[in-house]
Amino acid sequence: MTSRALANAVPAPYWLDRPERPVARPRLVDDVEADLVVVGAGFTGLWAALQAVEADPTRQVVLLEGDRIAEGATGRNGGFCAASLTHGLGNGLERFAAEMPTLLRMGAQTLDAIEDAIRRHGIACDFERTGELDVAVARWQVEGLAEQYRLGTELGLDLRLLDTDEVRAEVASPTYLSGVYDPDGVAMLDPARLAWGLAAALERLGVVIHEHSRVDDLALDGPGVRVTTAHGTVRAAQVLLATAASPPVLRRISAYVVPVWDYALMTEPLPADVRASLGWAGRQGIGDAGNQFHYYRLTSGSLPGDSGGSSPPEGQSAQGERLLFGGYDALYFAGGKTDPRLAQHPRTFALLAEHLVQTFPQLADVAISHAWGGTIDTCSRFSPFWGQALRGRVAYVLGFTGLGVGASHFGARTALDLLDGRDTERTRLAMVRGKPLPFPPEPVRWAGIQLTRRALAAADEHEGRRGPWLRTLDRLGMGFDS
């Protein structure tokens, strides 16, 4: 695969570049009232609105989105819906060891609840309980995966440890040295279709949705909160902020979150012989075990733009499957820039295309159809955190650090508990009661992140050995990830 493979790539997320994308709902242009305003129509906001109105059908809920539904990270991710609430087992054990049995149980329940909601609301989002395969692509990673297997099985997870022959029998890549397969902890889905389906379900349940309605201000207003946009206001008893990597409405949040740019490629539909050469019968989501890691998966052949449900073009796979390949080059720009033009980064796309062919030489002649980037709400503990403001009338949750497709459901439910003043098993968690360490202000923030990125790359090049800078961050409980 050369630069020619990228020559005709559409500079937009594949998931959003489809004719089925709904027309944007009208912006807020009036002064209205509500019981609950949810700010942000990504997964966290959509799940918050749905759980709120399902718990109390009389609750008047308004959902405000500054852009379009799923335009942010929700429509730009890989579609890995993970049960993990802690950004992986290792991170959870490092930070919340005493709570890990509870967090693992809650995570499994969350994934089941997501599947149930998709079924109940008839959302066609290609939800598949495929599991996930973590692979070692360097010798030093083999031992780390063996340790991951040991720790997971001790906690009751149903994992399989695969040697070189076994992992390559699952998926045919010459780079694989070992693997750990988790059959239960991850589902694959189409993120945009899930978001669009959730929005449609919300409207059927009476939730009012306004797109292109960025919130400019929150202020106490009598017994409630006044939410101000450019063209209207909502007076509400409660507000739930689900703004992810967007500029925060509350200034205090900016100390805890940085917008990290992550990039991905989508191939054209795979020719039948190429698809067969990959093996990959289980269609698992896959991630490698480097510090700078890749994630990749197959799409469902039912996606519009592939075979469209009719016979595929001659030479394509019977399902018209594509391959999404992303990650590795997580970037932070000085000042936390989120300029949409940064979603195109040719150097990173070329690097990903090179890595794709190293992983699967069979794809050397397959073209890339789409190339895009998006921002991730990264915090220093790599997992969500919660808080409240304005006398408890506002709650927020963010910091999912790239693993929010599944955890957003739990994050939203917990934020609703906090808003309602409920003492629950969720709100009693140390994970929920604590916060990550804040990032330093600029320009130290930018310099520290660049130093960390270089140190992570150096660790990958030196058999995983963490240098003085990374060891210092480990002692402080800080880090940088995507």
Side-chain angles (χ1 to χ4, degrees), residues 259-263 329-333 345 347-348 453 480:
V260 173
W261 285 87
D262 179 66
Y263 296 89
D329 206 12
L331 302 180
Y332 175 77
F333 296 96
H345 204 262
R347 184 190 64 81
T348 297
R453 291 182 66 246
F480 174 79

Side-chain angles (χ1 to χ4, degrees), residues 166-362:
E166 289 170 327
V167 71
R168 293 184 185 183
E170 287 287 333
V171 182
S173 171
T175 65
Y176 294 174
L177 302 177
S178 70
V180 171
Y181 177 45
D182 175 3
D184 303 319
V186 177
M188 306 310 298
L189 53 76
D190 178 327
R193 287 175 120 183
L194 175 55
W196 299 334
L198 287 172
L202 288 174
E203 291 183 316
R204 291 193 296 270
L205 294 170
V207 174
V208 177
I209 302 175
H210 294 287
E211 298 180 63
H212 298 302
S213 299
R214 182 172 62 87
V215 171
D216 296 321
D217 187 55
L218 299 174
L220 291 170
D221 186 20
V225 179
R226 184 176 66 255
V227 182
T228 304
T229 72
H231 302 285
T233 61
V234 187
R235 288 175 170 80
Q238 297 172 321
V239 177
L240 193 152
L241 299 178
T243 52
S246 299
V249 182
L250 293 176
R251 184 176 300 176
R252 71 181 68 176
I253 295 174
S254 62
Y256 296 101
V257 174
V258 295
V260 173
W261 285 87
D262 179 66
Y263 296 89
L265 307 176
M266 184 72 84
T267 70
E268 294 285 358
L270 300 177
D273 59 335
V274 172
R275 173 63 185 93
S277 73
L278 298 175
W280 211 342
R283 294 175 43 79
Q284 308 96 323
I286 301 177
D288 64 51
N291 289 300
Q292 293 181 292
F293 63 92
H294 307 88
Y295 58 87
Y296 39 106
R297 50 83 55 98
L298 296 167
T299 68
S300 167
S302 68
L303 293 175
D306 292 340
S307 64
S310 59
S311 298
E314 183 178 355
Q316 286 186 12
S317 61
Q319 294 77 33
E321 295 159 291
R322 300 170 184 252
L323 195 154
L324 181 150
F325 193 86
Y328 189 78
D329 206 12
L331 302 180
Y332 175 77
F333 296 96
K337 292 185 179 68
T338 56
D339 186 329
R341 290 173 294 184
L342 296 173
Q344 292 299 301
H345 204 262
R347 184 190 64 81
T348 297
F349 295 147
L351 188 63
L352 283 173
E354 178 183 342
H355 291 177
L356 173 58
V357 174
Q358 289 172 357
T359 304
F360 297 118
Q362 308 94 310

Side-chain angles (χ1 to χ4, degrees), residues 382-393:
F382 314 146
S383 53
F385 65 92
W386 293 260
Q388 291 182 266
L390 298 186
R391 302 178 186 173
R393 301 172 198 176

